[in-house]
């Protein structure tokens, strides 16, 4: 195994790739890891007279701890969700079912101006603890409060304490993401 040397880099500067791994190789290898698909939502109270709901599709979402109940989501640095969660500690998670592929695609679009229209025809309720949308038909919903934020490369890991959790009697399977496409089990 070759020796690894560390060089000092200015705070906030990206750390160069270690020798040998390209972006394409990294993406290709990790595309073979199937992941569940969730919709992360939060309410931006300062956007207009009643605020605005913001949503983001995520596949990098995991359970962290049972005691206390903690989850983690990875958000791209400087994205709208990253900026909002840096100011607003309350957010929600809807675990999407195999029938909710369009919802995942809708909130995965880059460069959109506003999420207001994306929520307009989407069945949802406002969570009592976080005030963020919880998507109807989801396999499970969680409401969270940020406990910690950890910058990791070009993403921030947001660790949240689960305030509420619900798993309605939905019989559908989960929506998954594998080899660059949304899929369902079975």
């Amino acid at each position: 195994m070759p020796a690894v040397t560390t060089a000092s880099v200015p705070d906030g500067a990206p750390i160069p790739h270690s020798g040998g791994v390209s972006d394409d190789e990294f993406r290709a290898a990790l595309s073979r890891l199937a992941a569940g698909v969730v919709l992360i939502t939060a309410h931006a109270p300062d956007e207009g007279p009643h605020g605005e709901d913001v949503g983001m599709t995520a596949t990098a979402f995991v359970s962290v701890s049972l005691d206390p109940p903690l989850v983690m989501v990875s958000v791209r640095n400087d994205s709208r969700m990253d900026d909002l969660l840096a100011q607003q500690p309350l957010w929600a998670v809807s675990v999407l079912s195999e029938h909710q592929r369009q919802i995942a695609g809708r909130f995965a679009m880059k460069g959109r101006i506003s999420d207001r229209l994306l929520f307009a025809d989407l069945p949802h309720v406002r969570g009592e603890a976080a005030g963020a949308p919880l998507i109807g038909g989801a396999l499970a919903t969680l409401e969270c409060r940020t406990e910690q934020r950890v910058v990791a490369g070009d993403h921030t890991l947001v660790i949240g304490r689960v305030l509420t959790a619900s798993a309605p009697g939905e019989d559908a399977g989960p929506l998954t993401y594998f080899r660059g496409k949304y899929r369902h089990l079975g």
Side-chain angles (χ1 to χ4, degrees):
M1 182 171 212
V4 176
T5 59
T6 58
S8 70
V9 292
D11 287 346
I15 299 171
H17 287 299
S18 60
V21 135
S22 72
D23 289 352
D24 290 341
E25 291 167 328
F26 182 71
R27 279 189 195 102
L30 290 184
S31 75
R32 270 56 173 196
L33 176 64
V37 182
V38 300
L39 182 66
I40 306 296
T41 59
H43 185 73
D46 296 335
E47 300 285 331
H50 302 292
E52 183 174 2
D53 295 321
V54 177
M56 177 196 90
T57 301
T59 56
F61 175 79
V62 295
S63 166
V64 173
S65 170
L66 183 60
D67 186 18
L70 299 173
V71 293
M72 182 187 73
V73 64
S74 178
V75 297
R76 185 181 351 245
N77 293 345
D78 301 321
S79 65
R80 184 150 189 228
M81 187 61 75
D82 181 42
D83 293 344
L84 178 55
L85 294 183
Q87 299 172 9
Q88 162 61 284
L90 299 172
W91 44 284
V93 180
S94 296
V95 178
L96 299 180
S97 80
E98 62 193 352
H99 304 297
Q100 295 178 312
R101 181 184 304 218
Q102 291 82 6
I103 295 170
R106 178 185 290 199
F107 286 93
M109 292 185 302
K110 294 179 183 175
R112 60 188 191 266
I113 297 170
S114 170
D115 287 358
R116 189 176 313 277
L117 294 176
L118 300 180
F119 283 105
D121 65 345
L122 192 59
H124 64 280
V125 297
R126 190 160 305 284
E128 291 183 23
L134 301 169
I135 304 307
L139 296 179
T141 59
L142 308 164
E143 293 183 88
C144 306
R145 182 185 66 238
T146 300
E147 295 277 312
Q148 188 175 5
R149 292 173 50 89
V150 178
V151 175
D154 59 2
H155 278 65
T156 297
L157 308 177
V158 181
I159 300 170
R161 180 180 295 257
V162 178
L163 305 173
T164 69
S166 174
E170 181 67 39
D171 287 337
L175 182 61
T176 59
Y177 194 72
F178 180 71
R179 295 187 93 169
K181 295 182 181 177
Y182 295 116
R183 309 203 186 226
H184 59 88
L185 296 179

